[in-house]
Amino acid sequence: METSIAWLEIFLNASFWVASVRIATPLIFGTLGEVICERAGVLNLGIEGIMTIGAMAGWMAVYQGAGLWSGLFFAAACGGIFGLLHAMLTVPLGLSQHVTGIGITLLATSLTSYVYRLILPEVNSPPRIQAFEPLEIPGLSSIPLIGEALFNQSPLTYFAFISVVVVSYVLYRTPFGLAIQMVGENPAAAEAQGVDVTVIRTVAVVCGSAFMAVGGAFLTMSAFNAFFFNMINGRGWICIALVVFASWRPGKALLGAFLFAAFDAYQMRLQQLVGTEIPYQIFLMMPYVLSILALIVMSRRVGYPQALMIPYRKGER
Amino acid sequence: MNVVKRSEIDISEKKPASEVVLRLRGITKVFGSLVANNDISLELKSGEVLALLGENGAGKTTLMNILFGHYIADSGSIEVFGRPIQQGSPHAAIELGIGMVHQHFTLADNLSVLDNVMLGTEPLWWFSSNRRAGRLKLEQLGERFGLRVKPNARVAELSIGERQRVEILKALYRNAQILILDEPTAVLTPQETDTFFETLKKLVSGGLSLIFISHKMQEVLAISDRVAVLNEGRLVSELKTADASETELAQSMIGRSIELPERKTLKAGKPILKLKSITVMPEDGRSALSSVSLDICAREIVGIAGVSGNGQSTIADLITGLVEPRSGTLELHGEVVNNFSPRNMLQKKVGRIPEDRHSQGLIGDMTLAENSISECYQDPQFSSYGWQNKLNCQSFAENIVSKFDVRGYSPNSPVRLLSGGNMQKLILGRVLSGNPQLILANQPGRGLDVGAAAYVHEQLLAARENGAAILLISEDLEELLQIADRIAVIHRGRLSESYPRESISISQLGLLMTGQQKKSITNNHAIEADAS
């Protein structure tokens, strides 16, 4: 009887909501980035590697003496460079987007380890940095439960929320956003209306990849304060699924990321509650099982960008 | 608001009638070994409708794609309003006032009409988009030229005719002065075509100059001021429409005379296919059928007319085993079919000429030989113990290629290189080599030139003489009246009774297609029958 109430009480605990928002942050960035790429018709499976690059680059820059925000910018730039590589191979050259993306992930993760060892050859435990401090928003943060969860977070979390709004605006309200949608739906139409498909797709992939890298950087610069190998731990792949869940919409991406994060935060607390009666792996599995179920429900009627994964070659018969 | 005003001035500004707005000089374009355009020189005068007539593959579309900047000519130059155009850039062409309505619409289905129209009209790197002004301008243009569409509707929800309107509006929105229309009527019903011609007249009186690409002679004669005829990449004649006659144009377009296939009067045999009050639910984007009944006998061609999307593709899917009826029965050779699968239907000797050659008929990247056996590859002569018999497959394909006159490529080349007509011949060969007892021909003449279409009809009539039952689904009423014995009309999933070909006219069929009640028409019948 006691436990049956306890599993509900988790929801009343502010720390659960705080954790959910924190776990959601890198997923929001990653999913937004992937939404931008896929809306332009380019699948970016390099996301896992690009997030790793971002995590390492941001942290290393700060460790080497850069400021936090310039470190973040450096991370985004590094992500953008790998995005550019992905775009070069898949857009003008029209290579398979799957294979290129997986290649980028392998290259980026290995290169990260290599550079890490190159710069810090004799370190056993990774050095910590002075990371982003939670920023209390006066007034709002004193609202019970919500205030603590939403208004006492890392500046990067606020940045994630702002990014959702900005990306939505750009995608739906600006000529550039319309061009992105059009090259993802019907590149031949975009071409016929004087839009350069190659340029739009490349810019979209670079911007999207920069967002992914910022998502990775959140982990080292706000959550863990240090870089570990394998710290991305499949978050990139979760973002790929969240994009489908979100039907390629930034707003829904926010919702999806938060739902997944809440499952994750909940299972951690449930584990402690239940103890050792049930193997903990079952709980670890839970968010993934639930996201698969959510995907099945949600993706019955999704409208894929029609030209997703189809290379566009000008003037081909 | 500023934008709107300027456009009005641009469009209403009339040019003196004789002014040359577009001049092509010596355009030549070669694809591999194919000379698509051979030294073509043309002029377009202000306010005129120039028809570009030619068979499929004559080079009409290539020429226009060069003009619009999709391709770069190997030699030759283009002048628009006296200024040379930079080739290979649609953007430059648009800037100079050229608009193009492509044969295959270039619209994004998931976006709204307004999105589709506005793309590329505003500076790309601007922070906002003035959608209100855009919507206003679109609505004004729509009103002016009688091209009304809902700006917020998703393109996927629009009919084909409406999509075409959006394509034209797209060009007008960009202040096009010269509008290229590539086979615009290929997808329209007779009634839609009439409205479309009205629109063209309004465009011309609004000061535009039009290039109208077509292979339909009657339309060219009806709408154009001047005709230029292309044949195998060359400009073979150029004359005023008033001086042109249909036979003369046909001769120069084809380079030889075409005989319409001869149609023998045959007595229908025993019933091959019986549909008894079949109902299919609308699912997976298919339109529904409600209580459809139809008999087709041996040595008989039964036509189904209708505006696309009224259920004819569902009938086709039913007969090829892609969809199962909710209720009702389908009998083949007197046996009720319970197992609706494509393979079962093929085994029951049902041949299939699909509506869309590219997506349902052939696999573009596979060879002619592979495609020719793709419906019968399990046959012992092509595979045994899991191994393919390449030699048999090769000779089978060679047989089809020579017997059905598939031109241009060897059995080992990929199918996507073939022209539409040759693809259709390959499919026809594949179907007829199986000696089918029932042939489903879904839009077999669509997009084919006169010669190729006549060939397809000839072959279908020959199959009929050999005892096959043929179901011919078509939106081309002339095609139906030419070769079908009986014609039924489908509207909103309901199939009318079938009328013998002698007793129904194009206009009656057209009315039935729009869902006018049958009563008045059957009355006409009675009168006609009385009279005779």
Side-chain angles (χ1 to χ4, degrees):
Chain A
M1 202 58 213
E2 238 178 54
T3 46
S4 73
I5 297 169
W7 70 263
L8 275 175
E9 271 174 357
I10 292 177
F11 291 108
L12 295 176
N13 193 335
S15 82
F16 162 74
W17 295 103
V18 174
S20 299
V21 174
R22 190 180 60 234
I23 297 170
T25 305
L27 300 179
I28 295 171
F29 282 120
T31 311
L32 272 186
E34 190 67 32
V35 164
I36 298 172
C37 296
E38 292 191 17
R39 270 294 175 120
V42 182
L43 177 73
N44 191 350
L45 291 183
I47 181 169
E48 185 82 4
I50 291 170
M51 287 180 86
T52 313
I53 286 273
M56 164 49 193
W59 167 78
M60 185 62 83
V62 174
Y63 179 67
Q64 301 289 346
L68 281 170
W69 288 105
S70 35
L72 190 73
F73 181 78
F74 181 66
C78 291
I81 289 171
F82 274 81
L84 186 64
L85 177 64
H86 183 62
M88 283 301 150
L89 294 172
T90 53
V91 181
L93 296 179
L95 302 186
S96 155
Q97 298 180 0
H98 294 102
V99 177
T100 309
I102 290 170
I104 296 276
T105 285
L106 293 176
L107 172 70
T109 29
S110 320
L111 197 67
T112 311
S113 309
Y114 178 70
V115 171
Y116 178 88
R117 278 287 163 229
L118 215 58
I119 300 177
L120 302 170
E122 281 154 30
V123 180
N124 286 327
S125 72
R128 295 187 170 264
I129 55 165
Q130 190 63 40
F132 283 103
E133 295 288 337
L135 183 69
E136 227 173 280
I137 298 192
L140 289 173
S141 60
S142 52
I143 305 170
L145 221 54
I146 299 171
E148 219 170 320
L150 291 181
F151 302 109
N152 191 10
Q153 290 282 3
S154 155
L156 288 186
T157 302
Y158 304 134
F159 181 45
F161 291 141
I162 295 167
S163 300
V164 172
V165 177
V166 171
V167 171
S168 297
Y169 180 84
V170 170
L171 207 50
Y172 297 117
R173 288 279 173 266
T174 67
F176 177 61
L178 180 56
I180 289 186
Q181 292 186 61
M182 189 64 92
V183 297
E185 291 286 342
N186 189 344
E191 172 89 37
Q193 273 157 282
V195 170
D196 191 325
V197 177
T198 311
V199 168
I200 300 289
R201 284 192 164 180
T202 304
V203 171
V205 173
V206 170
C207 292
S209 302
F211 270 111
M212 294 168 188
V214 170
F218 170 83
L219 294 175
T220 52
M221 299 175 72
S222 190
F224 299 104
N225 306 354
F227 177 80
F228 310 95
F229 296 121
N230 296 326
M231 75 184 305
I232 301 302
N233 198 16
R235 283 182 177 84
W237 309 134
I238 291 293
C239 292
I240 299 274
L242 285 176
V243 172
V244 183
F245 177 85
S247 328
W248 289 267
R249 288 174 180 280
K252 276 190 172 173
L254 178 68
L255 176 75
F258 183 76
L259 270 182
F260 181 85
F263 288 147
D264 205 17
Y266 187 69
Q267 64 87 13
M268 281 189 254
R269 282 157 184 79
L270 207 58
Q271 256 184 63
Q272 290 160 2
L273 209 67
V274 178
T276 52
E277 279 168 43
I278 304 171
Y280 73 95
Q281 287 90 345
I282 298 279
F283 293 101
L284 284 182
M285 210 164 66
M286 208 175 71
Y288 299 92
V289 172
L290 285 174
S291 43
I292 290 173
L293 290 178
L295 260 181
I296 293 170
V297 175
M298 293 287 284
S299 53
R300 286 281 293 162
R301 288 179 180 274
V302 293
Y304 278 79
Q306 300 277 302
L308 181 60
M309 291 188 281
I310 302 170
Y312 178 69
R313 296 187 186 91
K314 197 179 163 175
E316 184 164 88
R317 301 241 289 177
Chain B
M1 282 320 283
N2 211 357
V3 190
V4 179
K5 263 187 187 163
R6 204 183 62 211
S7 78
E8 277 179 357
I9 294 164
D10 281 356
I11 289 174
S12 54
E13 202 179 354
K14 283 225 171 185
K15 305 248 156 36
S18 60
E19 193 196 334
V20 173
V21 290
L22 175 72
R23 185 173 277 135
L24 301 175
R25 275 208 197 98
I27 300 289
T28 299
K29 175 76 185 172
V30 181
F31 291 108
S33 59
L34 175 79
V35 184
N37 286 160
N38 193 346
D39 191 23
I40 295 180
S41 300
L42 261 184
E43 280 177 1
L44 177 68
K45 295 192 184 87
S46 173
E48 102 178 319
V49 180
L50 171 69
L52 206 53
L53 188 66
E55 286 194 297
N56 282 340
K60 298 166 296 187
T61 302
T62 305
L63 185 65
M64 291 305 115
N65 276 333
I66 291 171
L67 175 54
F68 194 63
H70 285 310
Y71 301 149
I72 298 177
D74 296 326
S75 66
S77 66
I78 305 171
E79 272 174 28
V80 182
F81 298 113
R83 283 190 290 168
I85 192 172
Q86 177 208 339
Q87 285 190 39
S89 156
H91 193 71
I94 293 168
E95 288 282 294
L96 285 172
I98 299 178
M100 182 157 178
V101 175
H102 292 77
Q103 186 175 5
H104 305 286
F105 297 154
T106 52
L107 296 171
D109 290 353
N110 284 332
L111 300 183
S112 74
V113 169
L114 188 63
D115 283 341
N116 272 286
V117 170
M118 282 186 74
L119 173 75
T121 56
E122 295 179 302
L124 197 55
W125 310 106
W126 202 237
F127 290 113
S128 67
S129 158
N130 195 346
R131 297 173 66 81
R132 191 181 300 163
R135 180 173 297 127
L136 197 66
K137 179 171 173 183
L138 184 64
E139 279 166 355
Q140 284 181 350
L141 282 171
E143 205 133 310
R144 213 178 125 104
F145 294 107
L147 293 163
R148 257 168 235 153
V149 283
K150 293 190 198 108
N152 288 334
R154 270 176 66 220
V155 169
E157 297 159 6
L158 303 183
S159 74
I160 299 288
E162 286 173 310
R163 288 181 202 202
Q164 189 166 54
R165 267 175 251 164
V166 177
E167 283 282 7
I168 296 173
L169 282 168
K170 240 162 69 174
L172 295 177
Y173 191 92
R174 287 168 177 69
N175 306 327
Q177 303 290 311
I178 300 169
L179 192 58
I180 307 166
L181 301 148
D182 191 3
E183 303 270 356
T185 55
V187 291
L188 302 180
T189 62
Q191 278 80 3
E192 277 177 317
T193 303
D194 290 344
T195 338
F196 175 72
F197 281 171
E198 289 303 311
T199 306
L200 292 192
K201 280 174 196 152
K202 279 187 191 157
L203 291 176
V204 171
S205 63
L208 274 84
S209 317
L210 308 181
I211 299 182
F212 179 85
I213 303 177
S214 181
H215 60 248
K216 296 186 184 167
M217 242 98 55
Q218 293 91 337
E219 290 178 355
V220 165
L221 291 171
I223 196 75
S224 71
D225 300 316
R226 227 152 41 89
V227 194
V229 185
L230 292 189
N231 185 9
E232 291 179 359
R234 282 173 190 280
L235 183 66
V236 288
S237 78
E238 196 182 343
L239 64 171
K240 283 202 171 125
T241 309
D243 305 337
S245 76
E246 192 168 328
T247 42
E248 194 186 341
L249 286 177
Q251 288 276 351
S252 57
M253 170 168 131
I254 297 155
R256 64 201 136 89
S257 55
I258 285 231
E259 287 162 34
L260 286 179
E262 198 188 337
R263 191 178 174 291
K264 285 185 190 149
T265 320
L266 295 175
K267 200 165 162 46
K270 61 178 180 8
I272 303 281
L273 174 78
K274 277 187 175 205
L275 304 179
K276 288 187 187 158
S277 50
I278 284 197
T279 297
V280 176
M281 290 294 140
E283 247 173 344
D284 305 330
R286 265 190 201 99
S287 30
L289 292 180
S290 53
S291 195
V292 164
S293 300
L294 184 71
D295 288 2
I296 305 178
C297 304
R299 289 196 293 280
E300 186 182 41
I301 299 180
V302 175
I304 295 185
V307 181
S308 80
N310 272 296
Q312 51 272 72
S313 355
T314 313
I315 294 189
D317 287 350
L318 185 78
I319 291 168
T320 49
L322 288 167
V323 66
E324 214 167 311
R326 165 64 67 94
S327 64
T329 55
L330 184 153
E331 281 180 21
L332 260 178
H333 319 300
E335 280 172 48
V336 175
V337 174
N338 291 315
N339 174 8
F340 283 86
S341 75
R343 182 167 293 183
N344 184 37
M345 289 302 189
L346 285 170
Q347 276 163 1
K348 290 195 187 306
K349 294 265 177 199
V350 177
R352 176 185 77 110
I353 300 173
E355 180 176 6
D356 184 341
R357 292 184 276 279
H358 301 275
S359 73
Q360 294 162 354
L362 299 168
I363 302 167
D365 283 328
M366 291 175 79
T367 65
L368 270 69
E370 286 162 336
N371 272 289
S372 69
I373 60 157
S374 63
E375 286 186 339
C376 55
Y377 64 92
Q378 314 96 325
D379 192 294
Q381 60 165 317
F382 300 123
S383 65
S384 51
Y385 306 108
W387 295 93
Q388 255 190 49
N389 189 333
K390 287 271 185 192
L391 279 178
N392 279 356
C393 165
Q394 186 84 11
S395 61
F396 181 73
E398 273 163 13
N399 195 19
I400 290 182
V401 165
S402 65
K403 205 168 147 196
F404 291 87
D405 192 27
V406 182
R407 274 186 229 167
Y409 294 93
S410 80
N412 291 323
S413 359
V415 151
R416 70 181 148 82
L417 299 175
L418 296 180
S419 71
N422 282 316
M423 282 190 186
Q424 195 71 320
K425 286 178 183 172
L426 182 67
I427 292 177
L428 203 61
R430 176 170 82 189
V431 168
L432 295 178
S433 326
N435 290 322
Q437 290 177 308
L438 173 66
I439 299 173
L440 169 84
N442 196 353
Q443 317 272 12
R446 174 186 272 184
L448 300 187
D449 58 64
V450 187
Y455 182 81
V456 170
H457 295 159
E458 204 178 289
Q459 291 296 326
L460 288 177
L461 286 169
R464 164 178 172 267
E465 275 174 43
N466 289 335
I470 298 167
L471 180 63
L472 173 67
I473 298 177
S474 181
E475 286 167 42
D476 182 349
L477 299 180
E478 279 175 37
E479 175 177 51
L480 288 169
L481 288 168
Q482 240 171 50
I483 67 170
D485 295 283
R486 286 186 286 135
I487 301 169
V489 177
I490 191 159
H491 180 70
R492 299 215 174 138
R494 292 180 186 279
L495 191 67
S496 74
E497 55 177 301
S498 58
Y499 305 94
R501 66 196 289 262
E502 304 83 30
S503 71
I504 192 149
S505 69
I506 283 204
S507 57
Q508 286 169 327
L509 283 174
L511 285 177
L512 282 169
M513 280 164 70
T514 56
Q516 304 261 337
Q517 73 261 49
K518 295 157 204 157
K519 216 176 169 186
S520 58
I521 289 165
T522 33
N523 275 348
N524 283 345
H525 265 195
I527 296 162
E528 275 172 16
D530 282 350
S532 64

